[in-house]
PDB file of all heavy atoms in Angstrom:
ATOM      1  N   ASN A 395     -33.572 -71.421  66.544  1.00 96.00           N
ATOM      2  CA  ASN A 395     -32.211 -71.962  66.441  1.00 96.00           C
ATOM      3  C   ASN A 395     -31.818 -72.122  64.977  1.00 96.00           C
ATOM      4  O   ASN A 395     -31.211 -73.114  64.576  1.00 96.00           O
ATOM      5  CB  ASN A 395     -32.108 -73.293  67.177  1.00 96.00           C
ATOM      6  CG  ASN A 395     -30.666 -73.692  67.455  1.00 96.00           C
ATOM      7  OD1 ASN A 395     -29.773 -72.837  67.521  1.00 96.00           O
ATOM      8  ND2 ASN A 395     -30.428 -74.984  67.608  1.00 96.00           N
ATOM      9  N   GLY A 396     -32.202 -71.122  64.156  1.00 96.00           N
ATOM     10  CA  GLY A 396     -31.854 -71.107  62.740  1.00 96.00           C
ATOM     11  C   GLY A 396     -32.866 -71.778  61.834  1.00 96.00           C
ATOM     12  O   GLY A 396     -32.721 -71.725  60.612  1.00 96.00           O
ATOM     13  N   SER A 397     -33.897 -72.397  62.387  1.00 97.00           N
ATOM     14  CA  SER A 397     -34.896 -73.087  61.581  1.00 97.00           C
ATOM     15  C   SER A 397     -36.238 -72.369  61.675  1.00 97.00           C
ATOM     16  O   SER A 397     -36.575 -71.796  62.710  1.00 97.00           O
ATOM     17  CB  SER A 397     -35.058 -74.532  62.057  1.00 97.00           C
ATOM     18  OG  SER A 397     -36.154 -75.154  61.415  1.00 97.00           O
ATOM     19  N   ARG A 398     -37.002 -72.437  60.578  1.00 97.00           N
ATOM     20  CA  ARG A 398     -38.331 -71.835  60.598  1.00 97.00           C
ATOM     21  C   ARG A 398     -39.371 -72.750  61.250  1.00 97.00           C
ATOM     22  O   ARG A 398     -40.514 -72.328  61.473  1.00 97.00           O
ATOM     23  CB  ARG A 398     -38.770 -71.491  59.170  1.00 97.00           C
ATOM     24  CG  ARG A 398     -37.888 -70.447  58.498  1.00 97.00           C
ATOM     25  CD  ARG A 398     -38.399 -70.104  57.112  1.00 97.00           C
ATOM     26  NE  ARG A 398     -37.528 -69.163  56.426  1.00 97.00           N
ATOM     27  CZ  ARG A 398     -37.539 -67.854  56.598  1.00 97.00           C
ATOM     28  NH1 ARG A 398     -38.420 -67.320  57.434  1.00 97.00           N
ATOM     29  NH2 ARG A 398     -36.706 -67.069  55.942  1.00 97.00           N
ATOM     30  N   THR A 399     -39.002 -73.972  61.546  1.00 97.00           N
ATOM     31  CA  THR A 399     -39.936 -74.936  62.126  1.00 97.00           C
ATOM     32  C   THR A 399     -39.913 -74.859  63.644  1.00 97.00           C
ATOM     33  O   THR A 399     -38.850 -75.032  64.260  1.00 97.00           O
ATOM     34  CB  THR A 399     -39.578 -76.362  61.678  1.00 97.00           C
ATOM     35  OG1 THR A 399     -39.570 -76.426  60.244  1.00 97.00           O
ATOM     36  CG2 THR A 399     -40.588 -77.362  62.228  1.00 97.00           C
ATOM     37  N   PRO A 400     -41.052 -74.610  64.283  1.00 98.00           N
ATOM     38  CA  PRO A 400     -41.095 -74.571  65.749  1.00 98.00           C
ATOM     39  C   PRO A 400     -40.722 -75.937  66.332  1.00 98.00           C
ATOM     40  O   PRO A 400     -41.090 -76.977  65.772  1.00 98.00           O
ATOM     41  CB  PRO A 400     -42.543 -74.199  66.058  1.00 98.00           C
ATOM     42  CG  PRO A 400     -43.055 -73.554  64.805  1.00 98.00           C
ATOM     43  CD  PRO A 400     -42.362 -74.254  63.690  1.00 98.00           C
ATOM     44  N   PRO A 401     -39.985 -75.946  67.428  1.00 97.00           N
ATOM     45  CA  PRO A 401     -39.550 -77.223  68.018  1.00 97.00           C
ATOM     46  C   PRO A 401     -40.672 -77.897  68.815  1.00 97.00           C
ATOM     47  O   PRO A 401     -41.632 -77.252  69.243  1.00 97.00           O
ATOM     48  CB  PRO A 401     -38.412 -76.795  68.937  1.00 97.00           C
ATOM     49  CG  PRO A 401     -38.782 -75.397  69.352  1.00 97.00           C
ATOM     50  CD  PRO A 401     -39.458 -74.783  68.165  1.00 97.00           C
ATOM     51  N   GLN A 402     -40.504 -79.224  69.031  1.00 96.00           N
ATOM     52  CA  GLN A 402     -41.470 -79.947  69.850  1.00 96.00           C
ATOM     53  C   GLN A 402     -40.815 -80.789  70.926  1.00 96.00           C
ATOM     54  O   GLN A 402     -41.479 -81.239  71.855  1.00 96.00           O
ATOM     55  CB  GLN A 402     -42.351 -80.843  68.977  1.00 96.00           C
ATOM     56  CG  GLN A 402     -41.620 -81.967  68.271  1.00 96.00           C
ATOM     57  CD  GLN A 402     -42.553 -82.805  67.419  1.00 96.00           C
ATOM     58  OE1 GLN A 402     -43.566 -82.305  66.918  1.00 96.00           O
ATOM     59  NE2 GLN A 402     -42.226 -84.088  67.255  1.00 96.00           N
ATOM     60  N   THR A 403     -39.497 -81.029  70.827  1.00 96.00           N
ATOM     61  CA  THR A 403     -38.806 -81.796  71.859  1.00 96.00           C
ATOM     62  C   THR A 403     -38.322 -80.870  72.972  1.00 96.00           C
ATOM     63  O   THR A 403     -38.137 -79.672  72.779  1.00 96.00           O
ATOM     64  CB  THR A 403     -37.602 -82.537  71.258  1.00 96.00           C
ATOM     65  OG1 THR A 403     -36.713 -81.594  70.665  1.00 96.00           O
ATOM     66  CG2 THR A 403     -38.061 -83.544  70.200  1.00 96.00           C
ATOM     67  N   ALA A 404     -38.122 -81.465  74.147  1.00 95.00           N
ATOM     68  CA  ALA A 404     -37.694 -80.678  75.290  1.00 95.00           C
ATOM     69  C   ALA A 404     -36.324 -80.071  75.041  1.00 95.00           C
ATOM     70  O   ALA A 404     -35.464 -80.669  74.402  1.00 95.00           O
ATOM     71  CB  ALA A 404     -37.666 -81.550  76.540  1.00 95.00           C
ATOM     72  N   GLY A 405     -36.152 -78.830  75.497  1.00 96.00           N
ATOM     73  CA  GLY A 405     -34.881 -78.161  75.336  1.00 96.00           C
ATOM     74  C   GLY A 405     -35.037 -76.653  75.387  1.00 96.00           C
ATOM     75  O   GLY A 405     -36.138 -76.116  75.574  1.00 96.00           O
ATOM     76  N   SER A 406     -33.887 -75.959  75.239  1.00 98.00           N
ATOM     77  CA  SER A 406     -33.859 -74.502  75.243  1.00 98.00           C
ATOM     78  C   SER A 406     -33.459 -74.039  73.849  1.00 98.00           C
ATOM     79  O   SER A 406     -32.423 -74.455  73.321  1.00 98.00           O
ATOM     80  CB  SER A 406     -32.860 -73.989  76.284  1.00 98.00           C
ATOM     81  OG  SER A 406     -32.821 -72.589  76.294  1.00 98.00           O
ATOM     82  N   TYR A 407     -34.268 -73.155  73.241  1.00 98.00           N
ATOM     83  CA  TYR A 407     -34.078 -72.777  71.845  1.00 98.00           C
ATOM     84  C   TYR A 407     -33.965 -71.249  71.706  1.00 98.00           C
ATOM     85  O   TYR A 407     -34.882 -70.530  72.111  1.00 98.00           O
ATOM     86  CB  TYR A 407     -35.250 -73.261  70.986  1.00 98.00           C
ATOM     87  CG  TYR A 407     -35.445 -74.749  71.016  1.00 98.00           C
ATOM     88  CD1 TYR A 407     -36.270 -75.333  71.985  1.00 98.00           C
ATOM     89  CD2 TYR A 407     -34.816 -75.578  70.108  1.00 98.00           C
ATOM     90  CE1 TYR A 407     -36.451 -76.707  72.025  1.00 98.00           C
ATOM     91  CE2 TYR A 407     -34.999 -76.953  70.136  1.00 98.00           C
ATOM     92  CZ  TYR A 407     -35.806 -77.514  71.103  1.00 98.00           C
ATOM     93  OH  TYR A 407     -35.996 -78.875  71.147  1.00 98.00           O
TER      94      TYR A 407
END
Side-chain angles (χ1 to χ4, degrees):
N395 197 24
S397 172
R398 297 182 183 278
T399 303
Q402 65 180 29
T403 58
S406 180
Y407 301 89

